[in-house]
Amino acid sequence: MIRATLARAPLRTSRLLPVRCFAFASPLPKPGSPLPSPSDPEVHRGEIRKPSVEEAKAMPRYFCEMSNHQLLILAADGTEGAVRERMVRDVMATDEIDWDEASLVVDGMAEFNKSGDLLMRLPYQVGIFTAVSTGIGSIPMVFNLELASWFNNRYVTAEIPQPEDVNTWLEVGGWTWNWMEPVLGTASFTLLAFQFSRALLVHCRIKPYNDWILSMRANRLEKKYDHYTGMLVRQFSKAQPFMGR
């Protein structure tokens, strides 16, 4: 039954094995006839053709060695190096200069594009510092008796338990959780609400802060270098992250 089902199924070349494939020594069977078994003497295993040394030497190793078609595909996928190389070639075609001079022009565009990034990164840096510090600090605030007692005396003034009731760190956590639970629960719900609102903004095609910053930088760079192709300038700007490098 399996052989009959395979015989009626259309041949698909995309189903070939990734490393080895079956090659028929005789012509392909007619539609409706059973496929030959791999153990059949008429069927032999054919090795996939491997590249030669000349083909390996001809392989592009850098973006500047790639063809325009390859760059368009990689740039459409968002590869930063391909976007930059495409911008270099647009500068070459517009200013009629060689690759080295055009690369220096694009470097200047990148420096101008990153100007003002320090202020744009500030909300992210504040958020990272706040998240890390509060996340790590909440552990001793809940389970350390000395720190919890100090915080309670200054800000909570809750009833202090008997020494035998806080012998372990879990018992300390049970005591401190009376005032830590509202704080942590409220913070968790606030973050959840923010995340939900951001998802709604994305569905409504309203740009969150990150997309707004990228668009603002792209508009500024396009206005500065308006004699180059605007679409390529904008994509070059957006391909450069303002966090990290």
Side-chain angles (χ1 to χ4, degrees):
M1 181 180 297
I2 297 177
R3 291 173 62 88
T5 303
L6 291 175
R8 292 193 297 269
L11 294 175
R12 301 181 182 271
T13 56
S14 61
R15 293 291 184 180
L16 296 178
L17 297 178
V19 178
R20 294 175 181 269
C21 60
F22 294 112
F24 296 100
S26 58
L28 292 177
K30 296 181 180 180
S33 59
L35 292 175
S37 173
S39 60
D40 196 316
E42 296 184 356
V43 179
H44 67 277
R45 292 181 180 270
E47 297 285 347
I48 291 181
R49 187 186 70 84
K50 299 178 177 60
S52 62
V53 176
E54 290 74 16
E55 290 175 322
K57 291 181 178 180
M59 180 190 68
R61 291 172 174 80
Y62 303 96
F63 289 108
C64 60
E65 297 177 347
M66 295 183 177
S67 65
N68 293 335
H69 180 70
Q70 292 172 322
L71 287 177
L72 287 175
I73 295 176
L74 292 175
D77 194 43
T79 304
E80 183 180 353
V83 174
R84 184 190 185 280
E85 176 61 27
R86 189 176 60 171
M87 189 70 249
V88 170
R89 298 188 186 186
D90 185 64
V91 173
M92 293 173 63
T94 304
D95 297 344
E96 296 184 354
I97 56 180
D98 59 17
W99 189 91
D100 293 325
E101 295 182 20
S103 181
L104 294 177
V105 174
V106 173
D107 289 341
M109 296 174 62
E111 290 298 325
F112 178 81
N113 189 51
K114 293 180 179 179
S115 61
D117 283 1
L118 180 61
L119 184 61
M120 299 175 188
R121 292 195 299 262
L122 186 60
Y124 290 96
Q125 294 170 339
V126 172
I128 293 172
F129 174 78
T130 304
V132 173
S133 58
T134 56
I136 297 177
S138 63
I139 298 176
M141 287 287 291
V142 174
F143 299 108
N144 184 267
L145 180 60
E146 289 75 15
L147 183 58
S149 300
W150 174 85
F151 186 83
N152 175 65
N153 294 332
R154 283 181 172 268
Y155 303 104
V156 184
T157 66
E159 182 179 356
I160 300 177
Q162 297 297 324
E164 60 271 12
D165 294 334
V166 286
N167 288 329
T168 65
W169 59 276
L170 289 177
E171 292 179 335
V172 174
W175 169 53
T176 58
W177 198 245
N178 292 321
W179 69 77
M180 291 296 294
E181 182 179 15
V183 177
L184 297 180
T186 302
S188 301
F189 180 78
T190 302
L191 293 176
L192 179 63
F194 286 166
Q195 185 179 12
F196 178 69
S197 63
R198 186 187 187 280
L200 294 180
L201 289 174
V202 172
H203 284 301
C204 295
R205 298 185 180 275
I206 301 176
K207 297 180 179 180
Y209 177 76
N210 181 73
D211 292 337
W212 178 76
I213 287 295
L214 294 178
S215 297
M216 186 187 69
R217 290 202 317 169
N219 293 335
R220 184 185 60 182
L221 189 66
E222 183 183 13
K223 184 177 180 180
K224 174 72 174 179
Y225 297 91
D226 55 355
H227 53 290
Y228 299 125
T229 306
M231 180 190 69
L232 302 186
V233 175
R234 293 181 59 84
Q235 291 182 353
F236 171 72
S237 173
K238 292 185 177 181
Q240 287 190 305
F242 59 93
M243 292 290 290
R245 293 182 291 108

